[in-house]
Amino acid sequence: MSLPVELAFVTSNEHKFSEAEEILKGVARLRWRQESYREVQAETLEEVVREALTEIPGDNFFIEDAGLFITALNGFPGVYSSYVFKTIGNEGILRLLSGEKNRKASFLSVVGLKLKGEMKLFTGEVRGRIAPEAKGSEGFGYDPIFIPEGYDRTFAENPQLKQRVSHRRRALEKLSAYLKATHHF
Ligand code: ITT
């Protein structure tokens, strides 16, 4: 029996790395390349990921870019999620939505794989809504204000649920299926 493929996850975010390690258990041996890379200004996560994949040196690694897309704000913060989180944060998002009835939002994840010189993208989405107030202390980023569809607690209150239904889980499941199907492991 062949050993699982060894893959590096290039990310500066330790939470993302532990989520991925858990999801890819048995399919890939994950190594953490704790690096941040330049993200171009683009209108979609796919473009950001494609561009970054061509710039990051090395082979047999993947990256993942995520964003929170809020319907009432026409998809904002979307590709600007990182900057918006650093500047106005969860409280700022809640202020922007104060008095707004439509609280629909989605998390999107785009995983970009470079394996044996070939590039491949996998996407995942989880729909939900923005909570009336920030709740919970697990997870990271926008987790305290995001409630997945069909539930009433935030990702930060229920990390086990996040692991099951998240955008990242869905994108990484596709990566996992690809690795299995192409016998790269
Ligand atoms: P990288 O080094 O992998 O880029 P990052 O933390 O910069 O790590 P992203 O650019 O993908 O990650 O994330 C954009 C923003 O969205 C950032 O502020 C994150 O905190 C937030 N975010 C990403 N995934 C999230 C998740 O699963 N739950 C909550 N917030 C998330």
Side-chain angles (χ1 to χ4, degrees), residues 11-13 16 39 65-66 85 140 142-143 162 167-168:
T11 177
S12 62
N13 186 323
K16 280 188 175 185
E39 289 186 8
D65 200 25
F85 187 75
F140 66 98
Y142 298 105
D143 283 343
K162 180 183 183 189
H167 50 312
R168 184 162 302 108

Side-chain angles (χ1 to χ4, degrees), residues 41-54:
Q41 202 175 328
E43 286 187 11
T44 65
L45 295 177
E46 282 87 349
E47 278 177 78
V48 175
V49 167
R50 247 186 223 108
E51 199 61 36
L53 270 185
T54 62

